[in-house]
Amino acid sequence: MADFITRGGIRLFYEEKGDPNGRETVAFLNGVMASTSSWSLLCPVFEKLGFRIILHDFKGQMKSDKPAGPYSFAQHCAEARELFQFLGVDRLHLIGTSYGGEVAMKFAILYPEMVKTISIIDSVSELDSVLEGFVLGWKTLCDTGDGETFFWGMAPSIYGPDFIRDNREMLTQRAKATKAAPADYLAGQKILYDTFAQDVTMTDELKKVQCPALILCGEQDILKPPRFSKIMASCIPDAEFLTIPGCGHVAIFEKPRELESAILGFILKHVL
């Protein structure tokens, strides 16, 4: 665990796992409410297979700086590229969930020479009024200043009904952890929501993605439902599309084993 300072003076928190000399490097890109620890269920299998793993919090997220915003996806990409170059990485596989998947697509558009594959989980390349409404609701929840109230208010929009029913205790602990988050956490969230709403539209650019892409979406995702993923898969030239049964928006927690199989199989197919 360490901090990296970008050329613009932004401090980004990052972690490295796995084999530092691994032949293949994978970077996990966080969802908007997440942090590097959110990938704990997916990292171990990549470690076992000898991948070099890079994780970082975007600016505005948990352990990184939270300058005034809104930002842009291009800024996130440029800062991630600086980090990767600082770590000596020339080419890598990107795995992103939700907001992180959107950054991954933008990165593949802007820096195609660096990207071997992208795996996009529960993301979008455009908005509709329902998604805009969810974002406005989250901003109002942030204004309460209470992390626990925020968590329970947004939880039904991101977790599938089966997962909520079967994991009440785990979700209660996550709510308490959100309440204990740094004081600037909710302020950073509002900046990221504005960034998303103002800059996520990129459907017309997806034809520029040159690498193989895997598009995955929870079948029960009401926040960013499968129709958005189908749009992305139809616009990216070399894309595969899978839905995950019985899964809401947070597939990395709800169906990690299924993600493990799909993403590893996809990446290995393109490196062996």
Side-chain angles (χ1 to χ4, degrees):
M1 293 181 280
D3 289 334
F4 168 71
I5 308 299
T6 70
R7 285 191 289 270
I10 304 298
R11 180 185 56 83
L12 298 180
F13 172 81
Y14 75 93
E15 297 184 59
E16 289 190 88
K17 297 179 181 292
D19 184 351
N21 300 309
R23 186 169 66 91
E24 299 292 333
T25 299
V26 60
F28 291 93
L29 303 180
N30 302 338
V32 69
M33 299 170 193
S35 64
T36 57
S37 62
S38 300
W39 295 101
S40 61
L41 298 177
L42 281 179
C43 279
V45 70
F46 286 88
E47 292 182 75
K48 289 179 183 176
L49 291 177
F51 281 78
R52 183 184 185 186
I53 300 166
I54 301 170
L55 310 101
H56 79 285
D57 286 353
F58 298 122
K59 65 181 176 186
Q61 288 190 319
M62 189 74 73
K63 295 182 180 180
S64 291
D65 280 347
K66 302 171 184 64
Y71 316 137
S72 70
F73 284 98
Q75 288 174 2
H76 287 314
C77 293
E79 289 157 0
R81 180 172 178 257
E82 283 188 52
L83 173 62
F84 300 151
Q85 291 178 330
F86 168 75
L87 296 173
V89 177
D90 297 320
R91 298 190 71 214
L92 74 173
H93 306 273
L94 296 176
I95 300 172
T97 185
S98 196
Y99 192 93
E102 292 137 18
V103 175
M105 289 188 291
K106 180 65 79 170
F107 194 102
I109 291 166
L110 294 175
Y111 308 114
E113 71 284 355
M114 290 190 69
V115 186
K116 291 187 174 183
T117 67
I118 54 173
S119 297
I120 310 300
I121 309 162
D122 296 307
S123 300
V124 299
S125 59
E126 56 190 66
L127 295 166
D128 65 6
S129 58
V130 175
L131 182 49
E132 288 177 330
F134 277 127
V135 173
L136 287 173
W138 292 348
K139 290 179 67 176
T140 300
L141 287 168
C142 287
D143 288 337
T144 67
D146 185 290
E148 193 166 10
T149 297
F150 164 78
F151 180 88
W152 286 121
M154 64 81 187
S157 64
I158 65 171
Y159 295 103
D162 296 342
F163 188 79
I164 292 175
R165 182 195 65 220
D166 297 337
N167 294 275
R168 188 75 181 187
E169 180 57 33
M170 185 275 279
L171 293 173
T172 298
Q173 293 305 312
R174 287 188 62 79
K176 292 178 179 177
T178 305
K179 187 178 184 68
D184 59 358
Y185 171 73
L186 294 178
Q189 285 295 291
K190 289 185 68 175
I191 296 171
L192 294 171
Y193 302 157
D194 285 338
T195 302
F196 169 79
Q198 295 179 28
D199 201 39
V200 75
T201 301
M202 64 179 97
T203 298
D204 290 345
E205 295 182 273
L206 294 180
K207 60 182 179 292
K208 299 177 184 177
V209 176
Q210 298 176 16
C211 64
L214 175 63
I215 311 296
L216 304 115
C217 186
E219 192 175 52
Q220 298 175 347
D221 189 344
I222 63 171
L223 178 68
K224 299 180 179 179
R227 68 180 185 83
F228 286 110
S229 289
K230 291 176 182 177
I231 290 170
M232 296 185 299
S234 69
C235 293
I236 295 174
D238 187 9
E240 301 177 28
F241 170 62
L242 293 173
T243 55
I244 307 170
C247 183
H249 181 67
V250 195
I252 61 172
F253 289 153
E254 298 180 54
K255 298 290 182 179
R257 300 290 77 81
E258 289 84 343
L259 283 183
E260 197 177 72
S261 298
I263 295 174
L264 266 178
F266 171 73
I267 290 176
L268 292 175
K269 176 172 65 177
H270 290 285
V271 300
L272 294 179

